[in-house]
């Protein structure tokens, strides 16, 4: 199973930016879909963004479309989530996840590998 480790979370003022990183190891993931999910206290884990590791296809939740960008660096086996124009409602623990699929899925149960999460807090 692919192992995932998130980093890059922190405290940022509304309107600011953060870049989250997800370092992947353990297995090749050329056929994987890499996703970002987030979970705020007391709320269900929700889909944020995803892409095929091979590139070419990305998908974003409406709540982050135009503000967040998912990308990857193949040489570093790392997936990124660039978050711009952050809002207080973006505050959550952000999780990187891997889905052994060639098509993007937005349901958390579809992903079988998860990172430990990284906290993102956006102050107002």
């Amino acid at each position: 199973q692919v192992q995932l480790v998130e980093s890059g979370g922190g405290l940022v003022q509304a309107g600011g930016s953060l870049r989250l990183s997800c370092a992947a190891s353990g297995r090749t993931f050329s056929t994987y879909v890499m996703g970002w999910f987030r979970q705020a206290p007391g709320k269900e884990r929700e889909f944020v963004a995803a892409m095929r590791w091979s590139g070419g296809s990305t998908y974003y939740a409406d709540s982050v479309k135009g503000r967040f960008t998912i990308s990857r660096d193949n040489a570093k086996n790392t997936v990124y989530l660039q978050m711009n124009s952050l809002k207080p409602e973006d505050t959550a623990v952000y999780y990187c996840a891997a889905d052994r699929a060639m098509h993007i899925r937005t349901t958390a149960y579809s992903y079988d590998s998860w990172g430990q999460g990284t906290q993102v807090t956006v102050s107002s």
Side-chain angles (χ1 to χ4, degrees):
Q1 291 291 316
V2 61
Q3 295 173 284
L4 306 173
V5 179
E6 303 97 332
S7 62
L11 175 65
V12 65
Q13 191 174 13
S17 299
L18 282 174
R19 175 180 282 189
L20 306 183
S21 298
C22 173
S25 62
R27 286 191 178 187
T28 182
F29 17 79
S30 60
T31 62
Y32 279 68
V33 169
M34 303 300 296
W36 286 97
F37 290 76
R38 66 187 182 186
Q39 189 165 24
K43 293 188 176 182
E44 192 172 88
R45 190 168 299 186
E46 67 171 338
F47 173 80
V48 175
M51 70 177 298
R52 295 172 62 181
W53 184 259
S54 59
S57 296
T58 59
Y59 191 79
Y60 299 91
D62 288 341
S63 59
V64 306
K65 193 173 298 181
R67 300 188 297 120
F68 291 10
T69 303
I70 187 171
S71 63
R72 90 288 191 209
D73 186 329
N74 291 335
K76 295 182 178 180
N77 292 328
T78 300
V79 177
Y80 303 97
L81 184 68
Q82 178 66 46
M83 305 184 295
N84 299 325
S85 302
L86 283 162
K87 305 174 181 179
E89 50 262 46
D90 294 319
T91 296
V93 176
Y94 282 71
Y95 297 90
C96 178
D99 177 17
R100 198 173 189 274
M102 299 191 72
H103 61 283
I104 292 174
R105 297 188 280 189
T106 62
T107 49
Y109 66 78
S110 298
Y111 293 74
D112 56 5
S113 297
W114 293 85
Q116 82 288 347
T118 184
Q119 176 71 47
V120 172
T121 302
V122 184
S123 62
S124 59

